Amino acid sequence: MTVTRNRRITYQTNVILADLLKREAKASGLEVSRATDIKWSVIAPVLTRFEDRGWVVSELREAGLGSFETRFYELTPLGRQEARGKLARS
């Protein structure tokens, strides 16, 4: 049995949702971090939680010759709906 908690949305979660909502293209975690001034160590678990809930989808892309792969994130239609609702209530 899965138990879902009704957690209070944090300031950082609001900021991350707002940033993803205004984007028209997929963004890397680093891009979100730079735009929001929130450390990657905070953003990573939030994006993972969003992905687990079906709010975002992600894909790995090769960043360039000799570079590491980078994960890019984008809100799903459900994620856009949830983001608008949560941001309206905050």
Side-chain angles (χ1 to χ4, degrees):
M1 179 171 153
T2 303
V3 177
T4 56
R5 294 184 201 172
N6 212 357
R7 292 185 185 192
R8 181 179 65 84
I9 191 164
T10 65
Y11 170 78
Q12 290 89 351
T13 300
N14 269 343
V15 172
I16 294 166
L17 280 173
D19 181 71
L20 290 173
L21 192 56
K22 73 179 181 183
R23 292 179 181 273
E24 294 183 18
K26 294 180 180 180
S28 71
L30 182 58
E31 290 170 330
V32 174
S33 178
R34 287 179 177 158
T36 60
D37 202 29
I38 297 173
K39 292 181 180 181
W40 171 243
S41 61
V42 173
I43 290 174
V46 171
L47 290 174
T48 299
R49 190 168 60 245
F50 289 173
E51 194 163 19
D52 290 345
R53 292 179 181 171
W55 295 4
V56 300
V57 290
S58 68
E59 70 176 79
L60 279 175
R61 293 184 191 166
E62 207 168 302
L65 186 62
S67 297
F68 295 101
E69 288 183 323
T70 302
R71 187 166 295 278
F72 286 80
Y73 300 87
E74 179 179 41
L75 283 173
T76 63
L78 173 63
R80 289 190 173 284
Q81 178 183 348
E82 291 290 332
R84 287 184 188 109
K86 292 194 179 302
L87 292 171
R89 289 189 296 268
S90 63

